[in-house]
Amino acid sequence: MDTPAAFLEEAAALLGPRGLTQDPDLVEPWLTDWRGRYHGAALALASPASTDEVAALVKLCARHGVAIVPQGGNSGMSGGATPDESGSQLLLSLRRMNSLRRLDVAGRQAVCDAGFILENLHNAAEAQGLRFPLTLGGKGSATIGGLISTNAGGTQVIRHGSMRALVLGIEAVLADGTVFDALTPLKKDNRGFDLKQLLIGSEGTLGIVTAATLRLVPAVADRIVVWAGMPDLHIARALLLHCEDIAGDSLEGFEVLQATSLRAVLDHLPDARAPLQGEHAWHVLIEVVAERDEADSLQDRVEAMIASAFDAGLIEDAVLSANESQARAFWLLRDSIAPAERAKGAAVQHDVSVPVEKMPAFVHHAVPLVEAEFPGVHALAFGHLGDGNVHFHVLAPAGISQRDYDSDLGARVSARVHDLVTEWGGSISAEHGIGRSKRAELERLGDPVSLAMMRQVKRALDPAGILNPGKLLTLAPDRANA
Ligand SMILES: Cc1cc2nc3c(=O)[nH]c(=O)nc-3n(C[C@H](O)[C@H](O)[C@H](O)COP(=O)(O)OP(=O)(O)OC[C@H]3O[C@@H](n4cnc5c(N)ncnc54)[C@H](O)[C@@H]3O)c2cc1C
């Protein structure tokens, strides 16, 4: 018996028919990444039902030298959950492990399996007067394990931080099949390294997350979403500081977009209307929340905040959501930028951050520079100004297919954008991770000391290189997954 056959026989005995399949109809849908850029092949699709099964399966993989690609909802943006084209890697789906193990209302914590879907966590928390304060467009598919492994962000990071700030405990299976059980949250614990933090953002290269304890916060009693127009991104930054000063902890979202993005969204959503009359070069969406009913109403406080912003010359025009459906309509405009822009043609996307205070200057510098150096492209920036993170997308000249753009001009544009971000002291991946799509760029532009430290950690925890090889890091050329 050759190695794959022996491995598959043992894995089938371990997991049973629901836990292991090679049926192309069942495997195929999971072999392409969300953006459609990578298409791989898999030895089989394994769907263990418990942490014990994951541990036994990983031990088996370690014994047979079978590489594992962990996968949650497959909504990741960097190709991290797609196996390579060799057909030798095992796709390990966590989707069958989809229970909410416990929701502790008094302790404001939820313990979830890795395959629990973000939207289900939102609903479960809401039913108990609580909420999990991280949301993103892929919430109907993204799993807790995937969100942890990519250290996902979203639109509430400005107040609550990214996944890293919300994970209180982790259970994970390491490369030799050992279970790392650190689910119990301790507010203070100084017994050396915080090992759970090492797993957060490691994109399946250091361990397979099987469960997590997550922080919940009180549900929102009221929220107001403001849509404001202004001539310049520097003014948007000044408005951000103004809102932070006045709203403090109640400021829950601060998103920016250019007029061209709003136009693309309005073309894309026939029933949508522009929130403001008149032309504004930049638009800002601001969300302010109240977690309990307070003496002065949220409405009064937000109206005062916006009035003083007008007086300070920070806003050309603004409108406050009159009710929840209008608040949702404003967010829909924001959340539709990516699909609206995709409908317009080929583009290369960059998820970049620079220090918050530098972001307006960076955008004002980078947009005209990229458009001048690559005639015919159109650059735009939108997103989480409050986190110093924008999605910097560069649309191809008309008539170029995505494939052609990616293979030449788009690749040169991306390299230029990443060079600029690096020169400005920023990150080429603020939210979406490195995966496969940015691995070479991380290698090219990453700090050599940081890369060397990451390799040392990888070698220590996964010496045979069986966990998600080819993603995030390359090991030295003589190593298994170089
Ligand atoms: C419309 C849309 C909007 C989005 N908006 C945002 C946004 O605003 N901010 C943001 O940060 N992301 C965003 N994303 C990206 C995506 O939702 C996140 O990256 C999410 O964390 C991926 O979760 P997943 O379960 O789908 O993981 P997958 O795509 O399945 O996997 C992602 C990575 O994690 C690894 N992995 C998955 N599960 C595990 C596990 N249990 N243990 C170890 N490794 C694992 C995979 O190997 C892969 O490397 C968006 C996606 C979509 C489709």
Side-chain angles (χ1 to χ4, degrees), residues 15 35 42 74 87 94 142 240 283 316 346 353 362 366 391 413 457 466:
L15 300 174
R35 281 202 158 126
N74 199 25
L94 279 299
L240 169 65
H283 295 254
E316 289 174 328
S353 65
F362 173 77
H391 302 297
V413 168
V457 172
I466 64 165

Side-chain angles (χ1 to χ4, degrees), residues 19 77 100 118 150 178 186 190 253 264 269 271 291 319 331 336 342 413 419:
M77 297 286 195
L100 175 61
L118 177 60
T150 58
T178 310
L186 293 174
N190 277 350
L269 300 176
D271 295 335
E291 277 157 4
V319 58
W331 270 112
S336 301
R342 198 175 317 130
V413 168
D419 285 345

Side-chain angles (χ1 to χ4, degrees), residues 263-271 336 339-341 343:
R263 265 196 299 277
V265 170
L266 295 174
D267 289 348
H268 185 65
L269 300 176
D271 295 335
S336 301
E341 179 214 286

Side-chain angles (χ1 to χ4, degrees), residues 93-333:
S93 168
L94 279 299
R95 284 183 295 277
R96 259 180 92 201
M97 293 176 57
N98 58 6
S99 301
L100 175 61
R101 293 190 188 176
R102 201 169 63 247
L103 199 149
D104 172 0
V105 177
R108 292 186 185 160
Q109 291 164 14
V111 184
C112 318
D113 279 350
F116 198 53
I117 287 176
L118 177 60
E119 193 165 35
N120 294 341
L121 177 58
H122 289 162
N123 295 338
E126 201 179 300
Q128 301 295 332
L130 295 170
R131 67 191 171 118
F132 181 61
L134 183 145
T135 192
L136 39 79
K139 66 185 175 188
S141 342
T143 62
I144 297 307
L147 293 159
I148 290 174
S149 302
T150 58
N151 185 29
T155 49
Q156 292 163 310
V157 173
I158 188 171
R159 179 173 180 206
H160 298 283
S162 51
M163 205 60 192
R164 208 176 272 295
L166 299 169
V167 175
L168 302 174
I170 277 189
E171 177 192 87
V173 173
L174 305 180
D176 62 357
T178 310
V179 178
F180 168 68
D181 181 355
L183 274 180
T184 307
L186 293 174
K187 193 154 183 172
K188 298 180 93 171
D189 180 13
N190 277 350
R191 291 171 293 175
F193 305 154
D194 188 346
L195 294 167
K196 70 177 178 307
Q197 288 294 343
L198 204 53
L199 290 164
I200 300 170
S202 68
E203 303 187 33
T205 62
L206 299 182
I208 296 168
V209 177
T210 48
T213 307
L214 302 169
R215 183 160 72 87
L216 303 177
V217 299
V220 164
D222 195 6
R223 72 163 173 169
I224 291 182
V225 178
V226 181
W227 193 281
M230 63 216 37
D232 187 279
L233 195 58
H234 287 285
I235 296 180
R237 160 85 177 136
L239 178 65
L240 169 65
L241 294 176
H242 174 85
C243 295
E244 282 176 342
D245 278 352
I246 294 186
D249 249 8
S250 313
L251 181 65
E252 183 126 338
F254 195 97
E255 301 283 310
V256 294
L257 57 145
Q258 286 169 252
T260 44
S261 292
L262 180 60
R263 265 196 299 277
V265 170
L266 295 174
D267 289 348
H268 185 65
L269 300 176
D271 295 335
R273 282 189 308 134
L276 304 173
Q277 290 179 340
E279 288 297 312
H280 308 279
W282 284 89
H283 295 254
V284 173
L285 179 154
I286 306 161
E287 176 164 313
V288 187
V289 303
E291 277 157 4
R292 62 190 78 82
D293 294 325
E294 288 170 22
D296 54 337
S297 78
L298 184 65
Q299 179 83 20
D300 292 344
R301 280 185 282 139
V302 175
E303 276 177 6
M305 179 178 86
I306 296 302
S308 52
F310 267 119
D311 293 345
L314 301 176
I315 289 176
E316 289 174 328
D317 193 7
V319 58
L320 274 60
S321 60
N323 49 41
E324 183 54 24
S325 73
Q326 200 175 22
R328 283 183 194 185
F330 289 171
W331 270 112
L332 180 66
L333 297 175

